[in-house]
Amino acid sequence: REIYEGLHFRNLPVLRYRLQLAWLYLMEDKAKMGLALLTPVRELPFRGWLLQAVLWRSLNEPAKALQSYAQAEKAALAAEDAAGLDHTFYTSYALAAEISGQIDQALALFRKAYQLSPDNPDACNGLGYTLADNRRELPFAAELIAKAVQADPDNVAFLDSLAWVRFRQQDFPGALEAMIRTLQLMQSGFDADGVISKHAAEIFAANGLQLMADFFQLQSQWNIQEQVQP
């Protein structure tokens, strides 16, 4: 990093040094320093806007990340270089929209990711879970999630999605089966945002297992508190 800092401060107009140093700051968990390098630049290339989006996401600023993703897409289209606008880009863009509460935009972006790579399990799961979570097109959501699980049967995120779409379809025994499998495979620290524990609480309650529901409700609250602590 010291080498790139020296190159940057001796060659302030050279954008590639600025971008490389910002990326190194991201790797060192110094996102604010990375953003301080990028935000003064009015016209970043696609990779620069994408890096800025990731920096904002690392600071838990999804709305600002969303703006940077939009600029990244605009820059790629203006340069007539859509190589970076793949399913991975649109999945990340969609997640920022979802976290920002822009559900319709998130679904549109997840659909783009799926259209670009309909056999990719992450693209299938992203669209399927978001549809299920918002009670939309549940049969299609279930089909997408089943496709993701078939591709990666031990993926905890996919299994949680399977449990959740079954819950939304009021298939409570099926949801319980998938959730038990999720919990069996889930490693410590995976559920940092408490979402899986929250799903587990609702699914156990729907199956009349109130003691387990209460436990996972408390677990969800604990995970959320741990995440927000400085």
Side-chain angles (χ1 to χ4, degrees), residues 93-148:
Y93 191 177
L95 286 169
E98 183 183 22
I99 297 169
S100 300
Q102 305 299 320
I103 301 304
D104 288 339
Q105 183 182 11
L107 284 169
L109 292 166
F110 275 127
R111 287 186 198 278
K112 276 191 178 182
Y114 172 68
Q115 289 164 0
L116 286 168
S117 188
D119 292 324
N120 181 273
D122 290 315
C124 290
N125 183 68
L127 178 55
Y129 174 79
T130 307
L131 287 169
D133 197 40
N134 292 279
R135 297 181 174 87
R136 302 188 190 184
E137 302 176 52
L138 291 178
F140 181 47
E143 178 185 328
L144 290 169
I145 293 166
K147 191 174 181 180

Side-chain angles (χ1 to χ4, degrees), residues 2-217:
E2 289 80 4
I3 294 173
Y4 279 99
E5 284 179 337
L7 288 169
H8 165 64
F9 290 116
R10 285 196 296 270
N11 301 275
L12 288 175
V14 181
L15 182 59
R16 64 189 179 95
Y17 295 141
R18 189 182 291 261
L19 292 173
Q20 186 65 45
L21 184 55
W23 180 81
L24 289 171
Y25 281 139
L26 174 64
M27 294 299 99
E28 294 182 357
D29 199 24
K30 297 178 180 178
K32 289 183 179 179
M33 295 178 70
L35 285 167
L37 289 171
L38 299 184
T39 49
V41 183
R42 290 187 177 183
E43 295 186 9
L44 287 168
F46 167 75
R47 296 294 175 188
W49 287 115
L50 184 58
L51 175 57
Q52 188 179 89
V54 176
L55 287 162
W56 282 124
R57 283 187 63 183
S58 72
L59 292 174
N60 197 27
E61 293 278 4
K64 292 179 179 178
L66 193 59
Q67 295 174 3
S68 297
Y69 279 119
Q71 291 290 346
E73 182 183 39
K74 182 179 177 181
L77 293 174
E80 297 183 353
D81 182 10
L85 301 180
D86 56 10
H87 74 272
T88 303
F89 171 79
Y90 282 110
T91 296
S92 298
Y93 191 177
L95 286 169
E98 183 183 22
I99 297 169
S100 300
Q102 305 299 320
I103 301 304
D104 288 339
Q105 183 182 11
L107 284 169
L109 292 166
F110 275 127
R111 287 186 198 278
K112 276 191 178 182
Y114 172 68
Q115 289 164 0
L116 286 168
S117 188
D119 292 324
N120 181 273
D122 290 315
C124 290
N125 183 68
L127 178 55
Y129 174 79
T130 307
L131 287 169
D133 197 40
N134 292 279
R135 297 181 174 87
R136 302 188 190 184
E137 302 176 52
L138 291 178
F140 181 47
E143 178 185 328
L144 290 169
I145 293 166
K147 191 174 181 180
V149 172
Q150 184 177 18
D152 191 353
D154 292 336
N155 186 298
V156 171
F158 298 170
L159 288 168
D160 173 62
S161 296
L162 181 63
W164 197 235
V165 74
R166 288 176 177 177
F167 175 79
R168 289 298 200 211
Q169 292 178 308
Q170 299 189 344
D171 175 11
F172 299 140
L176 181 62
E177 179 186 10
M179 180 51 67
I180 289 172
R181 179 65 175 157
T182 302
L183 297 172
Q184 287 173 336
L185 292 172
M186 187 170 68
Q187 296 181 356
S188 176
F190 185 87
D191 187 32
D193 59 4
V195 170
I196 293 178
S197 295
K198 183 176 182 294
H199 290 169
E202 294 196 44
I203 289 168
F204 279 117
N207 283 277
L209 301 169
Q210 194 57 48
L211 186 62
M212 293 295 290
D214 292 343
F215 170 80
F216 280 102
Q217 184 62 38

